[in-house]
Amino acid sequence: MNVKLLVKYRTPKGVDAFFESHYLSPEHALKIAEDLESLQRAKELQFIDEHETTWTVKELQNLIAEIETEPHDIKVYFDGGYDLHSKEAGLGCLVYYSQNGSTFRIRKNALIEEIESNNEAEYAALHLAIKELKELGVQYMPVHFLGDSKVVIHQLSGEWPCLEETLSNWADRIEKELNQLGITPKYETISRKDNRKADHLASQALKHIDINSTKEVN
């Protein structure tokens, strides 16, 4: 979650002005608010998030304390592979997150049928990752999604049109579930080399090797 800082500022001569920041992390927004309060010029301070929810300083401080105990700083890598002969798709994803001062990694794959193309397999892999986020209890958080599928990344980012009905249905489904969870997605295209761990999980799924693990990492 990111927030905007809304400030009612008053000069020594009693002239009021209202200011609004760009979106900031809650931690950075609070630091700026604390600095303004030290000047004794900020008469009103308020924060508003991407979902138009407003927060006071105390409420945001409490939220940050709660966030530390919940999964946050989340990165998701995903990849899908399609076997034209068997009509099966291998899906792979890795979810990295911080919680209580430690960092964890989830490795998950799946084998599914009734997939028509590699692009659809890529969408299905991203959807598998979102199911993992839901199982993890992630809500109202920014999540960084990384994959080597330009089609999926650019379509979900709104940069490319989604003209195929099958892919459009996947995109609608993913966006609906992200909205229900209050997840703000950031999409990034990476090279196949940088996505090799997710690719390996997808390849293992096509070989009928099931992977489902959670591990603390450095």
Side-chain angles (χ1 to χ4, degrees), residues 112 115 120 123-124 126-128 130-131 156 165-181 187:
I112 62 173
I115 293 291
E120 189 178 358
Y123 266 106
L126 176 54
H127 186 257
L128 174 69
I130 293 170
K131 288 198 295 184
L156 289 175
E165 183 178 358
T166 301
L167 301 186
S168 180
N169 289 338
W170 275 106
D172 290 343
R173 183 179 179 183
I174 286 168
E175 289 176 349
K176 180 180 179 181
E177 293 187 15
L178 290 176
N179 286 334
Q180 288 174 341
L181 294 172
Y187 297 108

Side-chain angles (χ1 to χ4, degrees), residues 51-62:
H51 303 281
E52 301 298 321
T53 302
T54 57
W55 305 80
T56 64
V57 171
K58 186 175 181 179
E59 288 171 340
L60 200 59
Q61 289 171 335
N62 290 338

Side-chain angles (χ1 to χ4, degrees), residues 83-141:
D83 188 320
L84 184 61
H85 299 291
S86 67
K87 305 294 184 182
E88 293 178 329
L91 318 179
C93 69
L94 298 101
V95 179
Y96 293 87
Y97 64 95
S98 298
Q99 188 173 16
N100 293 321
S102 299
T103 302
F104 299 89
R105 181 192 66 197
I106 295 173
R107 298 169 69 240
K108 174 74 174 180
N109 71 358
L111 181 71
I112 62 173
E113 299 176 343
E114 300 181 2
I115 293 291
E116 299 177 358
S117 69
N118 191 71
N119 284 334
E120 189 178 358
E122 294 279 6
Y123 266 106
L126 176 54
H127 186 257
L128 174 69
I130 293 170
K131 288 198 295 184
E132 287 301 303
L133 295 177
K134 188 174 182 180
E135 288 291 324
L136 196 57
V138 175
Q139 287 186 307
Y140 303 104
M141 288 279 177

